[in-house]
Amino acid sequence: MAAEHSGEPPAWYGAGLAHIWLPYAQMKSARPPLPVVRTHGCRIVLADGRELVDGIASWWTACHGYNHPHIRQAVERQLAIMPHVMLGGLVHEQALTLARRLAELLPGDLTRVFFSDSGSVAVEVAMKMAVQFWLNQGVRTRKKFVAFRHGYHGDTTGAMAVCDPDGGMHALFRGLLPEHHLVDLPQDEASTAAFLQLLEGHSDELAGIIVEPLVQGAGGMRFHPAAVLRTLRQAADRHQLLLIFDEIFTGFGRTGGMFACEAADVVPDIIALSKALTGGTVPLAATIATQRVFDAFWSDDPTHALMHGPTYMANALACAAANASLDLFEWEPRLQQIANIARGLDRGLARCRGLPCVKDVRVKGAIGVVELDRIDDLDGLRARFLEEGVFVRPFGSIVYLTPAFTISDEELATLMRAVVKVVKAL
Ligand SMILES: Cc1ncc(COP(=O)(O)O)c(C=O)c1O
């Protein structure tokens, strides 16, 4: 604690910095990361004593704010009983309870839950399930996916291959990854015609369609109407394709409803969840399949089993955190808080409309976006937000807010004031 207010970075910072490799960063030129010593509520406390209002909720995970006592107590209780046990041949209360609760919470018959440890792996599992769904029925040709421009599904190899090669951060790997079909989301006549034509011509080689429903997150926080999802469902049904919804970002309230798929009244065949699943405490992900998908694996033939099993799948601490997070969604008025945030973002960010460098201002649920014509100095812009006492992390050409759902009106106002001030000064 002594170093917390001394102005000097703590000893561990200087000693360790030369040994860490940071995400999405050119290590040679990136500004040094900020040493964080504590979090609480919607605040990040730095080693020098500064306290930042957090606008990002740690990549959209900390939906109840940091250190929520109910989640902390659940994890502490579980830690004393059993931190982890392998899921091969064994199972435990937190995993089964969580699987049941997710199955009850999700629409339709999305009832079989496969746990893993990150969003990317949940996507890998979804893709593997979809390909094997066909293999188990003797169909060896259906192994490709339709994915969408501006989509992002993770950084592992399979997931990278269904990201937008340009917007999805993996341009360097172009030509090295398995090839799938990338098209525009069917949002208007021309894009719908192109999408349907693709399916007509290629359905024999397609296992499924993968999409981030309602909001394409890391590809630029782009919103699309629910009708797009209905178009995808109808097209998937017509061509017997599996429809995969990647709700790793949108799941658990972020777009206003508990899951984005509810807005379209569409049930995918497979859904991937992670991020806010544990309320931002412990890594956990889940890939949930409908009965029809599961049935294709239910067989007297042992080779029809899903051969996947991350070592830490269904970690008991993570499942306890997720169960506690679901309690909070049941006990506390999260969806009302999200609606309140949406109204606040609408009002507050409207002040950016019409500014010379602003291309668009949009809000969906607890996501507020100010899209700029371009951002020339990303690092400089990020630093400007720190000067305003907030943690906001613009990327591409957008400044965005995805706060915890528990954020106070004052904290939200602080975030929006900072965004308006910084954007106005550009
Ligand atoms: C929609 C979506 N899918 C997948 C991922 C990958 O998740 P993870 O970073 O946990 O691997 C992300 C992460 O941002 C995401 O937003």
Side-chain angles (χ1 to χ4, degrees):
M1 290 296 269
E4 194 170 314
H5 297 280
S6 69
E8 287 296 309
W12 53 259
Y13 185 81
L17 203 55
H19 301 287
I20 197 149
W21 198 330
L22 295 163
Y24 308 121
Q26 171 45 259
M27 294 296 290
K28 186 172 179 191
S29 55
R31 294 193 183 197
L34 303 167
V36 177
V37 289
R38 272 180 298 124
T39 52
H40 63 96
C42 297
R43 305 295 177 109
I44 295 172
V45 184
L46 302 182
D48 61 8
R50 271 182 296 165
E51 194 163 303
L52 305 174
V53 178
D54 180 15
I56 306 299
S58 279
W59 276 330
W60 327 323
T61 61
C63 57
H64 314 287
Y66 295 109
N67 310 25
H68 195 290
H70 180 62
I71 300 183
R72 201 183 61 223
Q73 283 153 17
V75 173
E76 281 170 2
R77 231 183 354 261
Q78 188 59 41
L79 182 63
I81 302 168
M82 179 181 71
H84 180 71
V85 69
M86 63 186 271
L87 217 65
L90 303 171
V91 80
H92 54 86
E93 182 181 356
Q94 294 296 340
L96 289 196
T97 301
L98 180 59
R100 175 187 55 76
R101 290 178 80 177
L102 288 174
E104 285 171 4
L105 204 54
L106 286 162
D109 66 340
L110 286 158
T111 50
R112 283 288 173 167
V113 182
F114 189 95
F115 288 112
S116 58
D117 36 26
S118 75
S120 302
V121 174
V123 167
E124 298 281 341
V125 171
M127 293 173 69
K128 191 163 162 180
M129 270 180 190
V131 172
Q132 195 176 340
F133 171 86
W134 294 109
L135 289 176
N136 284 359
Q137 297 174 75
V139 180
R140 299 192 65 77
T141 51
R142 286 184 178 259
K143 50 184 190 285
K144 288 190 186 294
F145 290 86
V146 176
F148 298 99
R149 213 168 306 284
H150 307 299
Y152 173 78
H153 298 285
D155 298 341
T156 53
T157 307
M160 279 203 288
V162 284
C163 291
D164 184 316
D166 302 313
M169 296 187 283
H170 308 123
L172 206 58
F173 287 81
R174 196 193 298 273
L176 301 180
L177 297 167
E179 279 188 22
H180 299 292
H181 295 278
L182 185 84
V183 288
D184 286 323
L185 275 168
Q187 302 204 56
D188 55 25
E189 219 171 289
S191 54
T192 304
F195 167 69
L196 295 177
Q197 199 181 357
L198 170 78
L199 297 199
E200 287 297 336
H202 294 271
S203 60
D204 288 352
E205 62 181 54
L206 293 173
I209 301 170
I210 182 163
V211 68
E212 296 160 85
L214 293 192
V215 183
Q216 293 178 302
M221 298 288 168
R222 292 161 189 270
F223 305 161
H224 54 263
V228 168
L229 306 176
R230 288 191 284 274
T231 303
L232 297 186
R233 182 71 271 178
Q234 282 162 10
D237 288 344
R238 184 156 354 106
H239 294 280
Q240 291 185 300
L241 307 182
L242 294 182
L243 182 58
I244 301 173
F245 279 3
D246 174 350
E247 291 229 26
I248 286 162
F249 172 41
T250 56
F252 303 104
R254 186 52 69 182
T255 62
M258 198 58 179
F259 300 102
C261 60
E262 294 167 2
D265 213 3
V266 162
V267 181
D269 301 292
I270 303 174
I271 192 167
L273 302 173
S274 187
K275 294 216 183 264
L277 174 58
T278 63
T281 50
V282 198
L284 184 68
T287 308
I288 302 113
T290 57
Q291 190 62 38
R292 170 172 163 247
V293 173
F294 182 75
D295 282 348
F297 291 74
W298 183 270
S299 162
D300 293 323
D301 183 343
T303 68
H304 287 182
L306 179 64
M307 297 309 282
H308 210 95
T311 303
Y312 277 98
M313 74 182 287
N315 171 260
L317 299 176
C319 291
N323 279 313
S325 176
L326 293 185
D327 292 342
L328 293 174
F329 275 104
E330 281 176 19
W331 300 342
E332 299 185 358
R334 285 291 174 271
L335 298 190
Q336 279 152 260
Q337 289 169 314
I338 295 160
N340 190 41
I341 292 170
R343 278 190 296 273
L345 288 170
D346 247 338
R347 269 195 308 271
L349 296 181
R351 284 173 286 158
C352 290
R353 284 214 171 87
L355 293 177
C357 58
V358 172
K359 193 166 160 195
D360 187 32
V361 177
R362 52 185 179 268
V363 172
K364 190 179 286 292
I367 308 168
V369 184
V370 179
E371 184 172 346
L372 307 176
D373 289 327
R374 61 173 199 281
I375 297 176
D376 291 327
D377 178 10
L378 205 50
D379 274 348
L381 191 59
R382 289 173 178 172
R384 278 289 300 114
F385 283 110
L386 298 177
E387 288 165 20
E388 296 300 321
V390 300
F391 186 71
V392 175
R393 203 177 140 85
F395 69 89
S397 59
I398 64 164
V399 176
Y400 77 98
L401 298 174
T402 49
F405 305 148
T406 48
I407 194 163
S408 69
D409 290 346
E410 295 72 40
E411 287 169 323
L412 188 61
T414 302
L415 287 172
M416 292 188 299
R417 252 195 320 274
V419 170
V420 174
K421 183 173 172 190
V422 169
V423 168
K424 252 187 185 161
L426 284 173

